């Protein structure tokens, strides 16, 4: 007898026709209407009432396979409330997806304070080293719809909800420390331009099209972010291997009411890693859920991703002396100027139980801050403080979205707000207004404001503003659009610069409006003349006249912290290695390589032409993935252990040749046995420091061999 939680109840077996004819039960199969009997049989033996199938009002359901009909071949009956409720609920399963960041993946975790900073902030979570707080994190792409792929060139959202004892704090950031625009009033234009074009409904999840580049080329403030978006930061290998940033300048306020500016940074413990563009494109086909799967599997397997939280803290006086405005979200503060102070660690250790209830319904609000953390006058941040609350109403349908478990604070909350759609709380008593004197009648008067511990806004406007003036302008330093774009470009390795130039060429090659291409290159001249020349050459156009700068750019000292390659970690930790084997391969050699990879913190994934038990030397071996369904793009490095006969056979198979061709083209380490040579020759793989014998694999690790790239790809 199957347990009630088995996927297939006997009734379902009947409906699927799996009961063998002649078994004596084929009568039941023919008259599936009788299935209820069997099902009742199961239900009758239930121990847990939650295992009974019921409708939404608790009525037990006797048959979940057949609707109610007037006669065996008759019409369905309207009175079938079970059918109607089921279809009704299904019809309304979808809610509007997020207007931006629609595609996301979330997980639960914990934040631990590793260094107390009470002198900087009174925020409860930073008061004591070792103190922890539950968190929920959602990573996302920006432009694509909820069902789009994981690896387009795009910014990634990095939104963290801290359920602190003093209320929820949402740090809703990105994996890039600056933003496209300076003022919230431009956000709808930016998003319209990058999303699918209004008349044709494409391209999905791609910035490589006319309207986006038209807009950004007319908004030079976006150029710094464009440099980041065209860099490898926009094609991360994994959510686990990307940095996160709060982007805006926030404010810390301590117990004495003193304020300091602060920028928040997340640093991945696994180091940063990105994809190659060609690889990102191929992954989109091979595994559209690449990042989602990677996060889920890592957590399920106990490889909990972690990030250190670093803060850059500075004061108004320091800020006033900088050649950029710290309230301008298109600018960053180089770490060489204000080093990061690590104050905590975030660890994601639990997958969601239900994607919709948690990841889809989570509502992040930048306006969720706790005493000790405050906003600044950053005009982009100010707009966000309105937008996120507002958008939840259209997405989640009710002002009571805060009652959904994933959004509710884990500390008590009470106020006089009442009613509204989908009210699930049942406030008691008469006090739904304040002030009231109900206490005098011995009744519960309800909660009262707490001047000492409640949130009190920092009196910022006393500082650098004249609150009496109403102006629609931007502060003067906001007009420097190029200095930090150049800072970013000049901080990259040569190889990373080539990636940026090539990405711009790729994107502009998809832009049909010739004047837009020219306008972009005209801006690039203000960033770097050589970059402009390379892009122009890549597009086969003449270098246009330099764009007029609203404010002359200044030279800034390059910052190594802005490069991925300069900070790369040489590690197998969290990396996935594909091992190709086939009939006759040496099981002992495979087992030993697998063990070595796992003891270095990596994951070994066995790939073979077929997944079931394959006869190998020393027994049989099952593969984790079929060759055709496990292209090398889904691995960080590859290895192969093949007998010459099997290799000869595989050398005639496109999937096997492509496996090595791509691994080579994507600059991955290829560890191979002598038998594999025949396939490598066909794949055009040439010997270099990353094409090595299997025995050297651990020494070499999973880092990319960027030195190979000029041999395999013409970069701009
Ligand atoms: Fe957002 N943004 N944003 N944004 N954003 C949303 O809120 C908005 C901005 C970011 O996983 C929306 O709940 C405006 C910067 C993330 O649920 C919406 C402006 C940064 C997420 C919205 C910005 C972000 C969002 C859509 C300019 C990095 C996903 C659904 C003033 C610091 C959160 C929602 C999640 C989502 C508005 C600019 C990051 C419409 C108006 C800058 C990570 O409210």
């Amino acid at each position: 007898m199957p347990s009630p939680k088995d996927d297939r109840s006997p009734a379902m077996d009947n409906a699927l026709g799996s009961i063998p004819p002649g078994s004596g039960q084929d009568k039941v199969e023919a008259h599936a209407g009788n299935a209820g009997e069997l099902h009742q049989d199961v239900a009758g033996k239930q121990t847990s009432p939650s295992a009974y199938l019921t409708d939404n009002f608790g009525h037990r359901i006797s048959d979940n396979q057949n609707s109610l009909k007037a006669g065996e071949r008759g019409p369905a009956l309207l009175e079938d409330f079970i059918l109607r409720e089921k279809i009704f609920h299904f019809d309304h399963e979808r809610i509007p997806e997020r207007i931006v960041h629609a595609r996301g993946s979330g997980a639960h975790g914990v934040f631990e304070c590793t260094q107390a900073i009470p002198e900087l902030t009174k925020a409860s979570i930073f008061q004591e080293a070792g103190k922890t707080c539950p968190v929920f994190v959602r990573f996302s792409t920006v432009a694509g719809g909820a069902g789009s792929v994981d690896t387009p060139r795009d910014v990634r959202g990095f939104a963290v909800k801290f359920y602190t004892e003093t209320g929820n704090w949402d740090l809703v950031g990105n994996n890039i420390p600056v933003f496209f625009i300076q003022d919230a009033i431009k956000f709808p234009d930016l998003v319209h331009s990058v999303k699918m074009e209004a008349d044709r409904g494409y391209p999905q999840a791609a910035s490589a099209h006319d309207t986006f580049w038209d807009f950004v080329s007319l908004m030079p403030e976006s150029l710094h972010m464009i440099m980041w978006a065209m860099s490898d930061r926009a094609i991360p290998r994994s959510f686990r291997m990307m940095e996160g940033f709060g982007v805006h300048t926030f404010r810390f306020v301590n117990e004495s009411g003193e304020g300091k500016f602060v920028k928040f940074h997340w640093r991945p413990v696994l180091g940063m890693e990105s994809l190659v563009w060609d690889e990102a494109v191929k992954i989109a086909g091979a595994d559209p859920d690449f990042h989602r799967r990677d996060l889920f599997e890592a957590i399920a397997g106990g490889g909990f991703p972690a990030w250190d939280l670093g803060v850059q803290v500075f004061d108004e006086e320091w800020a006033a002396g900088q050649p950029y405005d710290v309230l301008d979200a298109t600018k960053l503060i180089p770490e060489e100027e204000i080093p990061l102070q690590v104050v905590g660690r975030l660890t994601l250790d639990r997958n969601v139980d239900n994607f919709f209830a948690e990841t889809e319904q989570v509502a992040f609000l930048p306006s969720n801050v706790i005493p000790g953390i405050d906003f600044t006058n950053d005009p982009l941040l100010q707009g966000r403080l309105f937008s996120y609350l507002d958008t939840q109403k259209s997405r989640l349908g009710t002002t009571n979205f805060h009652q959904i478990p994933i959004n509710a604070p884990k500390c008590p909350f009470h106020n006089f707000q009442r009613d509204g759609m989908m009210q699930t709380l049942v406030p008691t008593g008469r006090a739904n207004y304040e002030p009231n004197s109900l206490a005098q009648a011995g009744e519960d008067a309800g909660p009262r404001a707490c001047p000492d511990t409640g949130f009190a806004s920092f009196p910022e406007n006393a500082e650098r503003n004249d609150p009496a003036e109403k102006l629609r302008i931007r502060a003067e330093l906001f007009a420097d659009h190029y200095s930090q774009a150049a800072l970013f470009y000049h901080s990259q390795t040569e190889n990373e610069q080539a990636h940026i130039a090539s990405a711009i060429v790729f994107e502009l090659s998809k832009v049909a409006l010739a004047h837009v291409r020219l306008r972009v290159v005209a801006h690039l001249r203000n960033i770097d003349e050589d970059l402009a020349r390379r892009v122009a050459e890549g597009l086969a156009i003449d270098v246009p006249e330099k764009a007029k700068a609203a404010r002359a750019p200044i030279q800034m000292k390059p910052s190594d912290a802005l490069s991925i390659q300069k900070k790369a970690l040489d590690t197998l930790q969290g990396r996935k290695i594909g091992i190709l084997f086939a009939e006759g391969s040496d099981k002992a050699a495979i087992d030993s390589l697998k063990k070595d990879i796992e003891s270095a913190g990596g994951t070994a994934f066995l790939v073979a032409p077929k997944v079931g038990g394959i006869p190998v030397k020393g027994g049989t071996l099952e593969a984790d993935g079929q060759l055709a369904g496990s292209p090398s793009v889904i691995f960080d490095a590859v290895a192969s252990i093949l007998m010459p006969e099997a290799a000869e056979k595989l050398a005639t198979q496109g999937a096997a040749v492509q496996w090595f061709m791509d691994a080579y083209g994507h600059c991955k380490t290829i560890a191979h046995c002598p038998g594999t040579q025949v396939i490598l020759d066909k794949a055009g793989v040439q010997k270099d420091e990353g094409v090595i014998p299997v025995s050297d694999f651990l020494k070499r690790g999973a880092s990319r061999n960027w030195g190979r790239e000029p041999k395999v790809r013409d970069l701009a």
Side-chain angles (χ1 to χ4, degrees):
M1 180 64 65
S3 94
K5 292 224 160 153
D6 276 357
D7 281 352
R8 294 176 52 163
S9 66
M12 195 187 283
D13 278 347
N14 291 344
L16 298 174
S18 64
I19 295 173
S23 65
Q25 293 182 30
D26 38 347
K27 190 166 160 272
V28 177
E29 186 189 12
H31 300 280
N34 293 350
E37 254 172 63
L38 274 176
H39 196 255
Q40 258 181 8
D41 206 34
V42 178
K45 296 209 166 76
Q46 292 312 310
T47 47
S48 148
S50 69
Y52 296 127
L53 187 68
T54 73
D55 69 5
N56 282 333
F57 297 96
H59 310 115
R60 288 190 196 177
I61 292 171
S62 59
D63 180 350
N64 192 30
Q65 314 303 325
N66 301 289
S67 56
L68 188 68
K69 296 174 201 77
E72 199 176 88
R73 303 179 60 245
L77 296 176
L78 192 59
E79 77 170 62
D80 186 353
F81 63 92
I82 293 170
L83 169 73
R84 278 190 290 110
E85 183 201 77
K86 189 172 175 182
I87 301 276
F88 154 76
H89 199 273
F90 170 77
D91 288 347
H92 301 276
E93 270 179 11
R94 288 291 163 274
I95 59 171
E97 64 177 34
R98 291 165 174 81
I99 167 71
V100 280
H101 296 265
R103 169 131 189 116
S105 304
H108 296 271
V110 64
F111 175 78
E112 180 180 354
C113 173
T114 51
Q115 194 203 334
I117 42 170
E119 69 287 2
L120 295 176
T121 173
K122 61 181 173 185
S124 54
I125 59 170
F126 297 123
Q127 297 312 298
E128 200 186 312
K131 195 167 168 181
T132 60
C133 152
V135 296
F136 185 77
V137 178
R138 184 174 179 273
F139 303 107
S140 48
T141 54
V142 178
S148 59
V149 299
D150 276 350
T151 56
R153 175 174 294 285
D154 199 356
V155 182
R156 299 300 186 284
F158 194 129
V160 183
K161 190 181 282 294
F162 300 79
Y163 302 92
T164 85
E165 66 199 74
T166 46
N168 288 355
W169 173 36
D170 294 356
L171 184 58
V172 196
N174 279 341
N175 75 328
I176 289 179
V178 289
F179 201 63
F180 290 102
I181 48 168
Q182 298 170 326
D183 191 312
I185 200 164
K186 296 312 300 165
F187 192 66
D189 299 299
L190 166 73
V191 174
H192 286 170
S193 81
V194 73
K195 284 253 176 191
M196 304 170 298
E197 295 194 7
D199 54 353
R200 56 211 69 187
Y202 62 82
Q204 175 67 259
S207 54
H209 60 111
D210 284 3
T211 56
F212 175 71
W213 284 93
D214 184 28
F215 177 76
V216 295
S217 67
L218 292 166
M219 296 287 296
E221 70 199 54
S222 64
L223 283 162
H224 184 198
M225 177 78 160
I226 286 290
M227 287 292 117
W228 286 79
M230 294 302 114
S231 81
D232 297 344
R233 300 261 179 169
I235 40 173
R237 147 73 178 91
S238 161
F239 293 136
R240 299 176 293 133
M241 298 169 201
M242 60 185 202
E243 293 183 339
F245 304 88
V247 177
H248 309 282
T249 297
F250 290 89
R251 193 183 291 274
F252 267 160
V253 184
N254 69 14
E255 204 58 67
S256 330
E258 292 154 356
K260 286 265 169 73
F261 287 136
V262 56
K263 290 237 181 217
F264 296 103
H265 298 242
W266 294 109
R267 287 289 146 90
V269 171
L270 290 176
M272 258 193 299
E273 204 79 64
S274 283
L275 300 170
V276 174
W277 174 240
D278 178 70
E279 188 186 11
V281 170
K282 287 174 175 159
I283 292 174
D287 185 3
D289 308 301
F290 186 64
H291 286 151
R292 181 173 293 179
R293 185 189 312 280
D294 170 89
L295 182 69
F296 192 91
E297 287 182 352
I299 295 174
F304 301 144
W307 289 260
D308 286 325
L309 178 66
V311 291
Q312 283 179 300
V313 182
F314 52 99
D315 58 22
E316 178 74 35
E317 198 188 331
W318 182 88
Q322 300 315 304
Y324 47 84
D325 198 320
V326 299
L327 299 184
D328 173 359
T330 68
K331 307 295 192 300
L332 55 80
I333 296 176
E335 276 177 51
E336 288 75 8
E337 304 282 331
I338 302 282
L340 291 199
Q341 192 177 340
V342 173
V343 295
R345 176 165 285 198
L346 159 73
T347 307
L348 296 181
D349 57 8
R350 183 160 66 85
N351 280 316
V352 295
D353 288 316
N354 183 274
F355 184 87
F356 180 85
E358 301 176 274
T359 309
E360 192 57 22
Q361 293 201 110
V362 67
F364 290 96
L365 308 173
S367 51
N368 267 345
V369 288
I370 54 175
I373 299 171
D374 208 338
F375 316 117
T376 59
N377 284 345
D378 172 344
L380 195 68
L381 174 60
Q382 290 291 324
R384 296 181 74 202
L385 301 181
F386 162 70
S387 176
Y388 290 64
L389 179 64
D390 183 53
T391 206
Q392 307 312 339
K393 169 69 179 63
S394 69
R395 215 166 66 72
L396 299 167
T398 165
T399 51
N400 288 319
F401 70 88
H402 63 283
Q403 296 176 16
I404 298 172
I406 195 71
N407 295 325
K410 297 195 192 299
C411 63
F413 61 103
H414 4 239
N415 54 47
F416 297 103
Q417 293 169 32
R418 290 289 184 274
D419 309 343
M421 274 171 81
M422 304 304 294
Q423 175 58 257
T424 63
L425 304 176
V426 185
T428 53
R430 287 203 286 173
N432 61 356
Y433 61 97
E434 196 255 324
N436 69 57
S437 61
L438 296 172
Q440 288 174 31
E443 294 184 44
D444 184 355
R448 289 293 181 272
C450 8
D452 297 342
T453 52
F455 186 86
S457 292
F458 190 79
E460 179 179 38
N461 275 337
E463 291 171 5
R464 281 213 284 163
N465 270 325
D466 177 356
E469 273 186 282
K470 288 184 187 168
L471 304 161
R472 285 189 187 270
I473 58 163
R474 299 196 193 171
E476 207 175 312
L477 282 179
F478 279 44
D480 176 0
H481 301 139
Y482 302 112
S483 306
Q484 290 215 350
L487 161 71
F488 179 73
Y489 185 69
H490 294 140
S491 303
Q492 307 300 304
T493 64
E494 249 180 64
N495 181 255
E496 286 173 316
Q497 289 185 342
H499 288 175
I500 294 173
S502 304
I504 301 175
V505 170
F506 175 91
E507 299 255 325
L508 291 183
S509 300
K510 297 249 179 194
V511 168
L513 301 171
H515 69 278
V516 171
R517 291 186 200 145
L518 284 172
R519 199 156 54 213
V520 174
V521 181
H523 284 303
L524 295 181
R525 292 193 60 183
N526 283 316
I527 297 170
D528 186 275
E529 286 287 1
D530 184 54
L531 172 64
R533 184 193 52 74
R534 287 158 80 171
V535 170
E537 250 170 45
L539 292 166
I541 58 172
D542 292 333
V543 176
E545 210 177 296
K546 211 183 218 186
K548 202 163 165 293
R551 191 181 168 93
I554 56 158
Q555 285 276 349
M556 294 183 73
K557 208 164 140 244
S559 158
D560 283 354
L562 305 184
S563 155
I564 298 179
Q565 291 183 9
K566 289 180 192 169
K567 294 201 289 190
L569 288 187
D570 196 10
T571 177
L572 273 174
Q573 197 83 41
R575 272 56 174 185
K576 193 170 178 181
I577 316 303
I579 305 175
L580 180 64
F581 75 98
E583 255 181 49
S585 293
D586 184 351
K587 184 167 182 302
I590 296 170
D591 287 345
S592 137
L593 178 61
K594 196 171 158 179
K595 210 168 122 234
D596 285 350
I597 292 169
E598 282 165 3
S599 42
T603 310
F605 188 97
L606 299 187
V607 180
K610 295 177 184 171
V611 284
I614 291 191
V616 289
K617 187 175 153 215
T620 55
L621 201 56
E622 285 188 13
D624 300 307
Q626 186 213 7
L627 176 58
S630 314
S632 64
V633 291
I634 64 174
F635 306 116
D636 295 285
V638 297
S640 65
I641 296 179
L642 298 169
M643 286 304 280
E645 311 80 71
E648 288 283 352
K649 212 166 135 196
L650 282 176
T652 64
Q653 304 292 310
V657 176
Q658 195 70 46
W659 211 72
F660 291 100
M661 196 184 270
D662 272 346
Y664 185 67
H666 301 145
C667 304
K668 289 174 184 170
T669 293
I670 300 175
H672 67 93
C673 62
T676 310
Q677 193 59 46
V678 53
I679 317 179
L680 298 186
D681 290 344
K682 249 197 151 167
V685 173
Q686 292 167 29
K687 270 251 148 333
D688 64 22
E689 75 281 0
V691 180
I692 51 170
V694 173
S695 51
D696 288 350
F697 180 67
L698 274 212
K699 261 190 277 159
R700 177 73 213 165
S703 305
R704 304 254 181 175
N705 303 276
W706 294 119
R708 186 193 295 158
E709 200 164 32
K711 278 205 288 183
V712 294
R713 178 170 306 114
D714 243 357
L715 291 167

